[in-house]
């Protein structure tokens, strides 16, 4: 089936041929693209489309804007032997229209970058606020925990997308058990030989049993 049978009425169709062709008008065999008229192939120069530039598929926004700004445009297709159908390769548009579309897309990208930056700043403020509130809750539950340590625990446990207890639903709600688990994890790793035991090959459950007394001593001291 000819690709013309499937094209939209408003689309000019240009073919990227699988094989070399001879232009029915000028006899050229050097052209890379052709347009069928009266079932005969014609090079773009002979059908007055040679001033257009090719824009490959892939950037939907750029293509949409370039076609909108171009007084004349055409869709480029190529026959796929594997799929037995014509597939879109890109469009032909006027050079000024493409340049305008590129400027518009760059402006949009700048705007999106500014939006991302504002969103990142907002998330950072939210994270700082959450970590401060978590540090205060640690101080309430463990009044003798050093202030800088409480802040360090809150920063570590409350890091966004970390998967740590501070970012769980319970942690975000500052539930007592979740906050306590964050403190326990910190003490286990920093105030006991737990990590050294793991590195020595001691099974995790056994390592936890071995450091339980030391862990409880620190927690009791911080609770006062």
């Amino acid at each position: 089936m000819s690709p013309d049978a499937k094209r939209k009425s408003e689309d000019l169709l240009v073919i990227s041929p699988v094989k070399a062709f001879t232009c029915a008008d000028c006899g050229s065999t050097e052209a890379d693209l052709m347009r069928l008229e009266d079932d005969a192939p014609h090079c773009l120069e002979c059908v007055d489309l040679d001033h257009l530039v090719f824009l490959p598929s892939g950037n939907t926004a750029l293509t949409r804007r370039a076609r909108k700004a171009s007084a004349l445009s055409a869709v480029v297709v190529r026959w796929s032997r594997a799929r037995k159908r014509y597939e879109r390769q890109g469009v032909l548009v006027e050079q000024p229209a493409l340049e305008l579309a590129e400027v518009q897309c760059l402006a949009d990208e700048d705007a999106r970058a500014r939006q991302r930056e504002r969103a990142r700043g907002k998330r950072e403020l939210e994270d700082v606020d959450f970590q401060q509130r978590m540090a205060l809750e640690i101080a309430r539950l463990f009044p003798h925990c050093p202030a800088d340590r409480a802040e360090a625990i809150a920063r570590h446990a409350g890091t966004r997308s970390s998967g740590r207890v501070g970012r769980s639903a319970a942690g975000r709600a500052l539930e007592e058990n979740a906050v306590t688990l964050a403190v326990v994890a910190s003490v286990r790793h920093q105030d006991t030989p737990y990590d050294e035991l793991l590195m020595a090959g001691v099974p995790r459950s056994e390592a936890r049993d071995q450091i339980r007394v030391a862990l409880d001593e620190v927690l009791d001291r911080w609770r006062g």
Side-chain angles (χ1 to χ4, degrees):
M1 178 184 293
S2 167
D4 290 275
K6 292 187 175 182
R7 77 179 189 273
K8 296 180 180 178
S9 59
E10 67 271 17
D11 285 340
L12 290 177
L13 202 68
V14 167
I15 298 173
S16 172
V18 176
K19 299 179 180 179
F21 71 96
T22 300
C23 176
D25 276 347
C26 67
S28 171
T29 59
E30 303 298 323
D32 296 325
L33 299 173
M34 71 176 186
R35 176 165 165 76
L36 290 177
E37 290 187 353
D38 299 324
D39 292 327
H42 297 74
C43 69
L44 297 193
E45 184 176 0
C46 289
V47 293
D48 298 325
L49 297 177
D50 58 314
H51 65 295
L52 302 181
V53 295
F54 178 63
L55 174 59
S57 299
N59 189 326
T60 303
L62 182 61
T63 298
R64 182 180 67 251
R65 283 177 163 152
R67 293 192 69 188
K68 182 178 180 181
S70 187
L72 181 65
S73 66
V75 175
V76 179
V77 297
R78 185 177 178 86
W79 179 255
S80 170
R81 291 192 177 98
R83 295 183 174 88
K84 305 299 182 184
R85 67 188 184 199
Y86 280 95
E87 296 185 337
R88 184 170 176 145
Q89 304 298 302
V91 294
L92 294 172
V93 294
E94 295 167 332
Q95 181 71 36
L98 176 57
E99 293 173 355
L100 175 61
E102 288 172 338
V103 170
Q104 292 172 335
C105 286
L106 285 174
D108 272 2
E109 179 57 33
D110 287 343
R112 285 193 292 270
R114 289 194 296 271
Q115 290 173 348
R116 289 194 296 269
E117 183 63 23
R118 287 195 296 270
R120 184 182 66 82
K122 181 181 179 182
R123 289 194 300 270
E124 288 179 352
L125 289 175
E126 291 172 347
D127 288 348
V128 168
D129 177 70
F130 169 72
Q131 291 166 5
Q132 288 175 343
R133 289 188 290 111
M134 188 175 190
L136 290 174
E137 184 63 11
I138 292 172
R140 186 185 72 82
L141 296 173
F142 300 90
H144 292 279
C145 173
D148 58 344
R149 184 66 181 278
E151 293 171 359
I153 294 172
R155 283 196 303 271
H156 179 77
T159 299
R160 187 181 294 266
S161 302
S162 64
R164 299 179 186 124
V165 66
R167 299 308 304 187
S168 65
R172 291 194 301 273
L174 295 178
E175 294 181 5
E176 182 173 328
N177 184 60
V179 174
T180 299
L181 287 175
V183 174
V184 168
S186 176
V187 172
R188 181 183 292 126
H189 290 289
Q190 297 191 36
D191 299 278
T192 77
Y194 180 68
D195 290 353
E196 289 83 351
L197 292 172
L198 293 182
M199 286 296 294
V202 177
R204 183 167 58 88
S205 58
E206 184 178 336
R208 289 195 173 193
D209 287 340
Q210 290 188 32
I211 57 92
R212 192 176 306 280
V213 173
L215 173 68
D216 289 341
E217 286 177 352
V218 176
L219 296 178
D220 290 342
R221 185 168 67 251
W222 284 2
R223 288 191 179 99

